Amino acid sequence: MNVTIIDVAKKAGVSPSTVSRVISGSTRISAATTKKVKIVMEDLGYHPNLMAKNLVSRTTMTIGLLLPRNADEAFLDIFFSEVTRGILSKATRAGYDLLLKTGKSEQEELEAVTRLVKGRRVDGIILLQSRLDDTVIRYLQQESFPFVLIGRDRERPDILTVDNDNVQAAYDVTRHLLELGHRRIGYASGPLELVVSADRHEGYRRALEEAGIEPQPGWFVSTELVRADSTSAVRALMDRPDRPTALVVMDDLLAFSLLNSLSELGYSVPEDMAVFGFNDNPMSPVSSPPISSVDIGVYHLGLEAAGLLLRSVKGEQPEQRRVIVPHRLIPRESSQPIKVT
Amino acid sequence: MNVTIIDVAKKAGVSPSTVSRVISGSTRISAATTKKVKIVMEDLGYHPNLMAKNLVSRTTMTIGLLLPRNADEAFLDIFFSEVTRGILSKATRAGYDLLLKTGKSEQEELEAVTRLVKGRRVDGIILLQSRLDDTVIRYLQQESFPFVLIGRDRERPDILTVDNDNVQAAYDVTRHLLELGHRRIGYASGPLELVVSADRHEGYRRALEEAGIEPQPGWFVSTELVRADSTSAVRALMDRPDRPTALVVMDDLLAFSLLNSLSELGYSVPEDMAVFGFNDNPMSPVSSPPISSVDIGVYHLGLEAAGLLLRSVKGEQPEQRRVIVPHRLIPRESSQPIKVT
């Protein structure tokens, strides 16, 4: 039951334009009329602004987005603007606003989300990451509050998620390198506690095993090693008698570090090492050499997440609880066929 | 006059905890009491949620942020997450929420802002860019609605802005290169219609002229040329008899393109050309070679903008209408002293 300006006018016995003037604070309306109209507005629960309207309809027409605290990592930086644009595009078209929240710790994030839920500030929430035993997700589940996770939560397969098929994406990259003639293919990993790292490693492993190749532990480079001392990590890799001729690299930023170290040690890319990254950093096409990468469709991750959340907010049962956004391989100069030696 | 739960309890002749139970929908309270408390709440204008409270106090405790439509440019991508974090940090501490808006055209942006203002959705707005004869800014000025621009508007020096001193920053970079022994210093520019490009070019020019050096038109490389054909642009520069030994580059992404083309043409950085970028892209430290850059303090731009806006929202007259965030030069391998030939 939406109260309109007409209802107020009728009950107060004035014209709708008089109500409108009262709302806009016009001095042309007598104090008595103003008071009468205001009392009727109060009685009927009519308020001349959106927030008040929302109060009546009990929806806020707003969705919340939790910006994770560790978004100062370069990948999340770039991810964030694109995913936000995707969310905004969908939300705006549906008449929803987007409210941003963040916290410096998991505790602060939980407090921020609790205030959103308890204060009825939003109709639903989009999360950009999940932790093991995530207290924010646990809270939202307890409250049966609509939310969507961009990413994947291995422990809670029942929550609404939008994600890439990262196993398939890494499988595709590894197949691509195999088709270029590479056999000894290494893997440079992101933090292993992230589901995305584990998924991509699995896709890499599958493609190699299908090709009858046993992935060697010595072909594995961890992001921690690269961060600590990229040159030592690359030297250890290149000193192996069975050193890889190609690398699948979890993120283009990591690929940059590796390229830098390879160059320092006198190796050329792609001649001595083919490199295929992920996440298609804006720098990758202008790097020297341009870095092959996987476009994971970040804008569409945001778009789909907002779409899924809005269906959930309206109480619709989504056909699928996990939406997969397609990926796309973009081969560039950094990955070439193996040199015939 | 803020109505509290105590006022409601007094007028309804019940205890505050009973009011609280009514609010939380407890079934332990009789229907009659529930009805009585709800009527009093309505009479007093007390509502058990934040939006309702805002309705009473006529503030929304929310600020708006307009994400510019061309933010798909790589620099704005990275800029956006950091500036947002800065704004959120300040806003959250002051108890404010952040509402995001965008539009696909200037007209859509104007409509989005109009709805924010007319619908009393926010107390003030932060803009991330200004155009010549910007209709959004003109509208906000007409409405006397609080807003802050991150950047500078040459036509309207009276509006509240937070910015770097870009003239000084480019002056400092050019001085740094002069001190490294370079005399023929070129300038790679961003789009000339942006105030930031014009400001940085002016700082570059000033430093050279102070050193008694006339900047040659042939030392100027435009971003349009680089985008169209980076290699041709670099070849034209390097084929000059008075070719520069150093370049001041408006943005690290542009610096990447130039490095790539220099390398393709067989030139080395920093041996054949020193390069100093701007905006400290997360890729710059891991590039090969690592790129010298200027940290413009994006987080602090956001922090200061939110601070200035909140003072304006509260009706305080800020001491200065233009806040300057300090910059910091980060010399890396791409800028070295001139080779003695």
Side-chain angles (χ1 to χ4, degrees):
Chain A
M1 69 105 239
N2 269 331
V3 180
T4 68
I5 205 167
I6 312 286
D7 302 324
V8 175
K10 267 190 197 155
K11 180 144 188 210
V14 298
S15 72
S17 64
T18 301
V19 177
S20 175
R21 285 202 193 91
V22 168
I23 290 166
S24 67
S26 168
T27 52
R28 290 163 55 197
I29 308 296
S30 73
T33 304
T34 299
K35 195 178 168 191
K36 185 169 64 180
V37 168
K38 283 194 169 170
I39 287 169
V40 170
M41 276 164 58
E42 194 74 8
D43 283 352
L44 295 180
Y46 177 83
H47 299 274
N49 72 37
L50 284 173
M51 287 194 308
K53 187 165 145 269
N54 298 336
L55 193 69
V56 171
S57 65
R58 285 287 161 200
T59 73
T60 62
M61 294 305 280
T62 304
I63 59 181
L65 171 63
L66 189 67
L67 172 59
R69 67 181 185 284
N70 63 349
D72 44 11
E73 290 185 17
F75 168 58
L76 262 174
D77 263 17
I78 292 158
F79 186 88
F80 179 61
S81 73
E82 266 303 282
V83 86
T84 303
R85 194 180 323 285
I87 294 168
L88 267 176
S89 167
K90 186 74 177 186
T92 304
R93 242 181 296 152
Y96 279 75
D97 276 334
L98 184 63
L99 196 67
L100 263 184
K101 280 285 179 184
T102 192
K104 285 199 193 69
S105 62
E106 188 167 349
Q107 184 56 34
E108 276 191 30
E109 283 182 9
L110 181 61
E111 283 164 17
V113 166
T114 304
R115 276 195 300 272
L116 285 186
V117 172
K118 291 292 177 201
R120 293 178 171 276
R121 298 285 288 167
V122 296
D123 295 343
I125 291 175
I126 293 174
L127 304 176
L128 294 181
Q129 70 174 195
S130 69
R131 284 167 290 252
L132 286 174
D133 196 29
D134 196 300
T135 54
V136 172
I137 291 181
R138 211 178 334 131
Y139 171 74
L140 290 169
Q141 284 190 305
Q142 275 167 7
E143 296 285 322
S144 302
F145 197 81
F147 74 99
V148 169
L149 169 68
I150 296 182
R152 191 153 86 83
D153 189 308
R154 284 195 161 178
E155 298 165 298
R156 283 164 291 237
D158 54 318
I159 65 180
L160 296 178
T161 57
V162 176
D163 199 8
N164 302 108
D165 186 340
N166 282 301
V167 176
Q168 185 66 42
Y171 176 92
D172 292 349
V173 167
T174 311
R175 281 289 325 154
H176 174 79
L177 293 169
L178 285 164
E179 280 157 18
L180 292 176
H182 296 279
R183 306 283 299 166
R184 300 195 308 269
I185 300 174
Y187 183 79
S189 174
L192 284 171
E193 65 272 24
L194 297 182
V195 175
V196 59
S197 302
D199 280 355
R200 288 182 184 166
H201 187 249
E202 188 180 331
Y204 153 80
R205 207 179 38 72
R206 265 194 217 167
L208 280 195
E209 286 173 358
E210 262 185 38
I213 299 165
E214 177 76 27
Q216 299 301 308
W219 296 349
F220 182 90
V221 184
S222 78
T223 190
E224 290 79 12
L225 269 184
V226 175
R227 275 191 200 167
D229 184 351
S230 177
T231 306
S232 296
V234 169
R235 189 183 290 119
L237 187 73
M238 299 306 277
D239 281 352
R240 295 178 60 90
D242 66 342
R243 76 183 191 200
T245 62
L247 275 177
V248 178
V249 185
M250 250 295 284
D251 180 73
D252 288 357
L253 188 60
L254 186 59
F256 265 86
S257 289
L258 295 171
L259 252 65
N260 199 354
S261 297
L262 282 163
S263 157
E264 257 176 45
L265 295 170
Y267 297 103
S268 294
V269 171
E271 291 79 3
D272 299 312
M273 178 73 82
V275 171
F276 212 111
F278 268 88
N279 306 334
D280 200 28
N281 192 293
M283 288 293 187
S284 298
V286 293
S287 142
S288 175
I291 298 182
S292 304
S293 193
V294 179
D295 174 4
I296 58 169
V298 178
Y299 177 88
H300 285 96
L301 287 169
L303 199 75
E304 293 289 344
L308 194 58
L309 182 64
L310 292 180
R311 288 196 291 282
S312 168
V313 160
K314 287 170 193 157
E316 295 171 22
Q317 273 299 329
E319 293 150 42
Q320 42 183 15
R321 303 193 71 76
R322 187 183 176 209
V323 172
I324 298 297
V325 169
H327 58 269
R328 186 172 61 96
L329 267 57
I330 308 176
R332 297 194 181 101
E333 266 179 65
S334 73
S335 62
Q336 296 293 324
I338 192 166
K339 263 192 317 181
V340 182
T341 44
Chain B
M1 70 100 245
N2 270 331
V3 180
T4 69
I5 205 166
I6 312 285
D7 303 324
V8 176
K10 264 190 199 155
K11 183 147 184 207
V14 299
S15 71
S17 64
T18 300
V19 177
S20 175
R21 285 202 192 92
V22 169
I23 290 166
S24 67
S26 167
T27 51
R28 289 163 55 198
I29 308 295
S30 74
T33 305
T34 299
K35 196 178 171 192
K36 184 170 64 179
V37 169
K38 283 194 168 169
I39 287 169
V40 171
M41 277 163 57
E42 193 75 6
D43 282 352
L44 295 180
Y46 177 83
H47 299 275
N49 72 37
L50 283 173
M51 288 196 307
K53 188 168 142 265
N54 298 336
L55 193 71
V56 171
S57 63
R58 284 287 160 199
T59 74
T60 63
M61 295 304 280
T62 304
I63 59 182
L65 171 63
L66 189 66
L67 171 59
R69 66 181 185 286
N70 63 350
D72 45 10
E73 289 185 18
F75 168 58
L76 262 174
D77 263 17
I78 292 157
F79 186 88
F80 179 61
S81 73
E82 267 302 281
V83 86
T84 303
R85 193 180 323 285
I87 293 169
L88 267 176
S89 168
K90 186 75 178 182
T92 303
R93 242 181 298 152
Y96 279 76
D97 275 333
L98 183 64
L99 197 67
L100 263 185
K101 281 282 178 185
T102 192
K104 285 198 192 69
S105 63
E106 188 168 348
Q107 183 56 34
E108 276 192 30
E109 283 182 8
L110 180 61
E111 283 165 18
V113 167
T114 305
R115 277 195 298 273
L116 285 185
V117 172
K118 291 291 178 204
R120 294 176 170 276
R121 296 286 289 169
V122 296
D123 295 343
I125 291 175
I126 293 175
L127 305 175
L128 295 181
Q129 72 175 193
S130 69
R131 284 167 290 250
L132 287 174
D133 194 31
D134 196 301
T135 55
V136 172
I137 292 182
R138 212 183 326 135
Y139 171 74
L140 290 169
Q141 285 191 305
Q142 275 168 7
E143 296 286 323
S144 301
F145 197 81
F147 74 100
V148 168
L149 169 68
I150 296 183
R152 192 154 85 82
D153 190 309
R154 284 195 162 178
E155 299 164 299
R156 285 165 290 236
D158 54 318
I159 66 179
L160 296 177
T161 58
V162 176
D163 199 9
N164 302 107
D165 187 340
N166 281 301
V167 176
Q168 186 66 41
Y171 176 92
D172 292 347
V173 167
T174 313
R175 282 288 326 153
H176 174 78
L177 292 169
L178 286 164
E179 280 158 17
L180 292 176
H182 297 279
R183 307 285 297 166
R184 301 196 306 269
I185 301 174
Y187 183 80
S189 174
L192 284 171
E193 65 274 21
L194 296 182
V195 174
V196 58
S197 301
D199 280 355
R200 289 183 184 166
H201 187 249
E202 189 181 330
Y204 153 81
R205 207 180 37 72
R206 265 194 218 166
L208 281 194
E209 285 172 0
E210 263 186 37
I213 299 164
E214 178 76 27
Q216 299 302 307
W219 296 348
F220 182 91
V221 184
S222 77
T223 189
E224 289 79 11
L225 268 184
V226 175
R227 273 192 201 166
D229 184 351
S230 177
T231 306
S232 296
V234 169
R235 189 184 289 118
L237 186 73
M238 298 306 276
D239 280 352
R240 295 178 60 88
D242 66 342
R243 76 182 190 203
T245 62
L247 275 176
V248 178
V249 184
M250 251 294 285
D251 179 74
D252 288 356
L253 188 59
L254 186 59
F256 265 88
S257 290
L258 295 171
L259 251 64
N260 198 356
S261 298
L262 282 163
S263 156
E264 257 176 45
L265 295 170
Y267 296 104
S268 293
V269 172
E271 291 78 5
D272 300 311
M273 178 73 83
V275 171
F276 212 110
F278 268 88
N279 306 333
D280 200 28
N281 192 292
M283 288 291 187
S284 298
V286 292
S287 143
S288 175
I291 298 182
S292 304
S293 192
V294 180
D295 174 5
I296 59 169
V298 178
Y299 177 88
H300 285 96
L301 287 168
L303 199 75
E304 293 290 343
L308 193 58
L309 182 65
L310 292 180
R311 289 197 291 281
S312 169
V313 161
K314 287 169 193 159
E316 293 171 24
Q317 273 299 330
E319 291 149 43
Q320 42 183 14
R321 303 192 70 77
R322 187 183 174 209
V323 173
I324 298 297
V325 168
H327 57 269
R328 184 172 61 98
L329 268 57
I330 308 175
R332 298 195 180 100
E333 268 178 65
S334 73
S335 62
Q336 296 294 325
I338 193 167
K339 263 192 315 181
V340 182
T341 46

PDB file of all heavy atoms in Angstrom, chain B residues 11-35:
ATOM      1  N   LYS B  11       5.761   8.155  27.081  1.00  0.00           N
ATOM      2  CA  LYS B  11       4.459   8.542  26.566  1.00  0.00           C
ATOM      3  C   LYS B  11       3.495   7.353  26.494  1.00  0.00           C
ATOM      4  O   LYS B  11       2.284   7.505  26.673  1.00  0.00           O
ATOM      5  CB  LYS B  11       4.619   9.189  25.171  1.00  0.00           C
ATOM      6  CG  LYS B  11       3.296   9.673  24.611  1.00  0.00           C
ATOM      7  CD  LYS B  11       3.383  10.921  23.756  1.00  0.00           C
ATOM      8  CE  LYS B  11       1.969  11.339  23.354  1.00  0.00           C
ATOM      9  NZ  LYS B  11       1.924  12.073  22.109  1.00  0.00           N
ATOM     10  N   ALA B  12       4.062   6.146  26.229  1.00  0.00           N
ATOM     11  CA  ALA B  12       3.200   4.967  26.120  1.00  0.00           C
ATOM     12  C   ALA B  12       2.926   4.340  27.482  1.00  0.00           C
ATOM     13  O   ALA B  12       2.112   3.433  27.604  1.00  0.00           O
ATOM     14  CB  ALA B  12       3.839   3.942  25.185  1.00  0.00           C
ATOM     15  N   GLY B  13       3.658   4.822  28.509  1.00  0.00           N
ATOM     16  CA  GLY B  13       3.468   4.280  29.842  1.00  0.00           C
ATOM     17  C   GLY B  13       3.958   2.846  29.984  1.00  0.00           C
ATOM     18  O   GLY B  13       3.387   2.034  30.707  1.00  0.00           O
ATOM     19  N   VAL B  14       5.019   2.530  29.252  1.00  0.00           N
ATOM     20  CA  VAL B  14       5.629   1.193  29.374  1.00  0.00           C
ATOM     21  C   VAL B  14       7.118   1.374  29.639  1.00  0.00           C
ATOM     22  O   VAL B  14       7.630   2.496  29.631  1.00  0.00           O
ATOM     23  CB  VAL B  14       5.429   0.351  28.089  1.00  0.00           C
ATOM     24  CG1 VAL B  14       3.947   0.136  27.816  1.00  0.00           C
ATOM     25  CG2 VAL B  14       6.110   1.028  26.904  1.00  0.00           C
ATOM     26  N   SER B  15       7.833   0.261  29.853  1.00  0.00           N
ATOM     27  CA  SER B  15       9.277   0.364  30.086  1.00  0.00           C
ATOM     28  C   SER B  15      10.011   0.426  28.742  1.00  0.00           C
ATOM     29  O   SER B  15       9.496  -0.053  27.730  1.00  0.00           O
ATOM     30  CB  SER B  15       9.762  -0.855  30.867  1.00  0.00           C
ATOM     31  OG  SER B  15       9.731  -1.983  30.020  1.00  0.00           O
ATOM     32  N   PRO B  16      11.198   1.041  28.731  1.00  0.00           N
ATOM     33  CA  PRO B  16      11.980   1.085  27.488  1.00  0.00           C
ATOM     34  C   PRO B  16      12.222  -0.311  26.908  1.00  0.00           C
ATOM     35  O   PRO B  16      12.222  -0.492  25.689  1.00  0.00           O
ATOM     36  CB  PRO B  16      13.297   1.738  27.924  1.00  0.00           C
ATOM     37  CG  PRO B  16      12.929   2.571  29.110  1.00  0.00           C
ATOM     38  CD  PRO B  16      11.834   1.810  29.812  1.00  0.00           C
ATOM     39  N   SER B  17      12.393  -1.304  27.778  1.00  0.00           N
ATOM     40  CA  SER B  17      12.668  -2.642  27.234  1.00  0.00           C
ATOM     41  C   SER B  17      11.434  -3.203  26.514  1.00  0.00           C
ATOM     42  O   SER B  17      11.551  -3.985  25.580  1.00  0.00           O
ATOM     43  CB  SER B  17      13.141  -3.589  28.336  1.00  0.00           C
ATOM     44  OG  SER B  17      12.114  -3.766  29.277  1.00  0.00           O
ATOM     45  N   THR B  18      10.243  -2.779  26.962  1.00  0.00           N
ATOM     46  CA  THR B  18       9.030  -3.196  26.248  1.00  0.00           C
ATOM     47  C   THR B  18       9.015  -2.585  24.847  1.00  0.00           C
ATOM     48  O   THR B  18       8.717  -3.267  23.856  1.00  0.00           O
ATOM     49  CB  THR B  18       7.766  -2.751  27.023  1.00  0.00           C
ATOM     50  OG1 THR B  18       7.787  -3.356  28.314  1.00  0.00           O
ATOM     51  CG2 THR B  18       6.499  -3.169  26.292  1.00  0.00           C
ATOM     52  N   VAL B  19       9.386  -1.304  24.767  1.00  0.00           N
ATOM     53  CA  VAL B  19       9.464  -0.648  23.458  1.00  0.00           C
ATOM     54  C   VAL B  19      10.445  -1.400  22.575  1.00  0.00           C
ATOM     55  O   VAL B  19      10.180  -1.701  21.405  1.00  0.00           O
ATOM     56  CB  VAL B  19       9.897   0.827  23.603  1.00  0.00           C
ATOM     57  CG1 VAL B  19      10.048   1.466  22.222  1.00  0.00           C
ATOM     58  CG2 VAL B  19       8.903   1.605  24.457  1.00  0.00           C
ATOM     59  N   SER B  20      11.572  -1.729  23.176  1.00  0.00           N
ATOM     60  CA  SER B  20      12.606  -2.444  22.441  1.00  0.00           C
ATOM     61  C   SER B  20      12.083  -3.772  21.916  1.00  0.00           C
ATOM     62  O   SER B  20      12.368  -4.170  20.787  1.00  0.00           O
ATOM     63  CB  SER B  20      13.809  -2.648  23.361  1.00  0.00           C
ATOM     64  OG  SER B  20      14.769  -3.422  22.735  1.00  0.00           O
ATOM     65  N   ARG B  21      11.288  -4.462  22.763  1.00  0.00           N
ATOM     66  CA  ARG B  21      10.741  -5.765  22.335  1.00  0.00           C
ATOM     67  C   ARG B  21       9.725  -5.593  21.211  1.00  0.00           C
ATOM     68  O   ARG B  21       9.652  -6.409  20.301  1.00  0.00           O
ATOM     69  CB  ARG B  21      10.097  -6.481  23.533  1.00  0.00           C
ATOM     70  CG  ARG B  21      11.144  -7.059  24.475  1.00  0.00           C
ATOM     71  CD  ARG B  21      10.599  -8.189  25.322  1.00  0.00           C
ATOM     72  NE  ARG B  21      11.562  -8.500  26.388  1.00  0.00           N
ATOM     73  CZ  ARG B  21      11.536  -7.949  27.600  1.00  0.00           C
ATOM     74  NH1 ARG B  21      10.592  -7.081  27.926  1.00  0.00           N
ATOM     75  NH2 ARG B  21      12.448  -8.268  28.488  1.00  0.00           N
ATOM     76  N   VAL B  22       8.943  -4.520  21.287  1.00  0.00           N
ATOM     77  CA  VAL B  22       7.997  -4.248  20.204  1.00  0.00           C
ATOM     78  C   VAL B  22       8.760  -4.045  18.893  1.00  0.00           C
ATOM     79  O   VAL B  22       8.395  -4.580  17.843  1.00  0.00           O
ATOM     80  CB  VAL B  22       7.144  -2.997  20.522  1.00  0.00           C
ATOM     81  CG1 VAL B  22       6.360  -2.557  19.282  1.00  0.00           C
ATOM     82  CG2 VAL B  22       6.199  -3.283  21.691  1.00  0.00           C
ATOM     83  N   ILE B  23       9.856  -3.280  19.004  1.00  0.00           N
ATOM     84  CA  ILE B  23      10.659  -2.985  17.812  1.00  0.00           C
ATOM     85  C   ILE B  23      11.214  -4.264  17.193  1.00  0.00           C
ATOM     86  O   ILE B  23      11.193  -4.452  15.981  1.00  0.00           O
ATOM     87  CB  ILE B  23      11.809  -2.013  18.167  1.00  0.00           C
ATOM     88  CG1 ILE B  23      11.229  -0.627  18.476  1.00  0.00           C
ATOM     89  CG2 ILE B  23      12.832  -1.935  17.036  1.00  0.00           C
ATOM     90  CD1 ILE B  23      12.218   0.311  19.154  1.00  0.00           C
ATOM     91  N   SER B  24      11.691  -5.147  18.077  1.00  0.00           N
ATOM     92  CA  SER B  24      12.309  -6.371  17.552  1.00  0.00           C
ATOM     93  C   SER B  24      11.262  -7.420  17.176  1.00  0.00           C
ATOM     94  O   SER B  24      11.594  -8.514  16.739  1.00  0.00           O
ATOM     95  CB  SER B  24      13.297  -6.936  18.568  1.00  0.00           C
ATOM     96  OG  SER B  24      12.588  -7.384  19.712  1.00  0.00           O
ATOM     97  N   GLY B  25       9.986  -7.078  17.356  1.00  0.00           N
ATOM     98  CA  GLY B  25       8.918  -7.992  16.930  1.00  0.00           C
ATOM     99  C   GLY B  25       8.708  -9.161  17.872  1.00  0.00           C
ATOM    100  O   GLY B  25       8.255 -10.232  17.456  1.00  0.00           O
ATOM    101  N   SER B  26       9.020  -8.969  19.147  1.00  0.00           N
ATOM    102  CA  SER B  26       8.882 -10.059  20.116  1.00  0.00           C
ATOM    103  C   SER B  26       7.417 -10.475  20.258  1.00  0.00           C
ATOM    104  O   SER B  26       6.507  -9.641  20.267  1.00  0.00           O
ATOM    105  CB  SER B  26       9.416  -9.604  21.478  1.00  0.00           C
ATOM    106  OG  SER B  26       9.021 -10.511  22.483  1.00  0.00           O
ATOM    107  N   THR B  27       7.193 -11.782  20.373  1.00  0.00           N
ATOM    108  CA  THR B  27       5.821 -12.275  20.541  1.00  0.00           C
ATOM    109  C   THR B  27       5.412 -12.253  22.016  1.00  0.00           C
ATOM    110  O   THR B  27       4.276 -12.560  22.360  1.00  0.00           O
ATOM    111  CB  THR B  27       5.710 -13.718  20.024  1.00  0.00           C
ATOM    112  OG1 THR B  27       6.740 -14.495  20.625  1.00  0.00           O
ATOM    113  CG2 THR B  27       5.851 -13.764  18.519  1.00  0.00           C
ATOM    114  N   ARG B  28       6.371 -11.882  22.909  1.00  0.00           N
ATOM    115  CA  ARG B  28       6.053 -11.875  24.343  1.00  0.00           C
ATOM    116  C   ARG B  28       5.243 -10.647  24.746  1.00  0.00           C
ATOM    117  O   ARG B  28       4.837 -10.518  25.898  1.00  0.00           O
ATOM    118  CB  ARG B  28       7.343 -11.935  25.159  1.00  0.00           C
ATOM    119  CG  ARG B  28       8.028 -13.316  25.072  1.00  0.00           C
ATOM    120  CD  ARG B  28       9.463 -13.256  25.514  1.00  0.00           C
ATOM    121  NE  ARG B  28       9.606 -12.701  26.858  1.00  0.00           N
ATOM    122  CZ  ARG B  28      10.741 -12.229  27.356  1.00  0.00           C
ATOM    123  NH1 ARG B  28      11.833 -12.233  26.614  1.00  0.00           N
ATOM    124  NH2 ARG B  28      10.798 -11.754  28.569  1.00  0.00           N
ATOM    125  N   ILE B  29       5.072  -9.698  23.821  1.00  0.00           N
ATOM    126  CA  ILE B  29       4.317  -8.486  24.135  1.00  0.00           C
ATOM    127  C   ILE B  29       2.906  -8.629  23.544  1.00  0.00           C
ATOM    128  O   ILE B  29       2.746  -9.066  22.409  1.00  0.00           O
ATOM    129  CB  ILE B  29       5.015  -7.243  23.527  1.00  0.00           C
ATOM    130  CG1 ILE B  29       6.496  -7.200  23.933  1.00  0.00           C
ATOM    131  CG2 ILE B  29       4.301  -5.968  23.933  1.00  0.00           C
ATOM    132  CD1 ILE B  29       6.745  -7.015  25.413  1.00  0.00           C
ATOM    133  N   SER B  30       1.904  -8.224  24.341  1.00  0.00           N
ATOM    134  CA  SER B  30       0.513  -8.387  23.889  1.00  0.00           C
ATOM    135  C   SER B  30       0.231  -7.504  22.682  1.00  0.00           C
ATOM    136  O   SER B  30       0.898  -6.490  22.457  1.00  0.00           O
ATOM    137  CB  SER B  30      -0.442  -8.005  25.021  1.00  0.00           C
ATOM    138  OG  SER B  30      -0.448  -6.599  25.176  1.00  0.00           O
ATOM    139  N   ALA B  31      -0.764  -7.910  21.929  1.00  0.00           N
ATOM    140  CA  ALA B  31      -1.144  -7.154  20.732  1.00  0.00           C
ATOM    141  C   ALA B  31      -1.550  -5.733  21.101  1.00  0.00           C
ATOM    142  O   ALA B  31      -1.221  -4.773  20.397  1.00  0.00           O
ATOM    143  CB  ALA B  31      -2.286  -7.862  20.006  1.00  0.00           C
ATOM    144  N   ALA B  32      -2.252  -5.591  22.230  1.00  0.00           N
ATOM    145  CA  ALA B  32      -2.724  -4.268  22.648  1.00  0.00           C
ATOM    146  C   ALA B  32      -1.539  -3.347  22.939  1.00  0.00           C
ATOM    147  O   ALA B  32      -1.492  -2.202  22.474  1.00  0.00           O
ATOM    148  CB  ALA B  32      -3.615  -4.405  23.881  1.00  0.00           C
ATOM    149  N   THR B  33      -0.568  -3.858  23.716  1.00  0.00           N
ATOM    150  CA  THR B  33       0.617  -3.056  24.050  1.00  0.00           C
ATOM    151  C   THR B  33       1.398  -2.717  22.786  1.00  0.00           C
ATOM    152  O   THR B  33       1.840  -1.575  22.589  1.00  0.00           O
ATOM    153  CB  THR B  33       1.528  -3.824  25.031  1.00  0.00           C
ATOM    154  OG1 THR B  33       0.754  -4.188  26.167  1.00  0.00           O
ATOM    155  CG2 THR B  33       2.708  -2.972  25.465  1.00  0.00           C
ATOM    156  N   THR B  34       1.553  -3.717  21.938  1.00  0.00           N
ATOM    157  CA  THR B  34       2.279  -3.495  20.685  1.00  0.00           C
ATOM    158  C   THR B  34       1.633  -2.357  19.907  1.00  0.00           C
ATOM    159  O   THR B  34       2.308  -1.440  19.443  1.00  0.00           O
ATOM    160  CB  THR B  34       2.270  -4.780  19.830  1.00  0.00           C
ATOM    161  OG1 THR B  34       2.931  -5.811  20.562  1.00  0.00           O
ATOM    162  CG2 THR B  34       2.989  -4.573  18.502  1.00  0.00           C
ATOM    163  N   LYS B  35       0.308  -2.400  19.801  1.00  0.00           N
ATOM    164  CA  LYS B  35      -0.403  -1.383  19.037  1.00  0.00           C
ATOM    165  C   LYS B  35      -0.199  -0.002  19.673  1.00  0.00           C
ATOM    166  O   LYS B  35       0.104   0.979  18.980  1.00  0.00           O
ATOM    167  CB  LYS B  35      -1.896  -1.724  18.989  1.00  0.00           C
ATOM    168  CG  LYS B  35      -2.621  -0.934  17.900  1.00  0.00           C
ATOM    169  CD  LYS B  35      -4.078  -1.291  17.799  1.00  0.00           C
ATOM    170  CE  LYS B  35      -4.771  -0.305  16.864  1.00  0.00           C
ATOM    171  NZ  LYS B  35      -6.229  -0.413  16.944  1.00  0.00           N
TER     172      LYS B  35
END
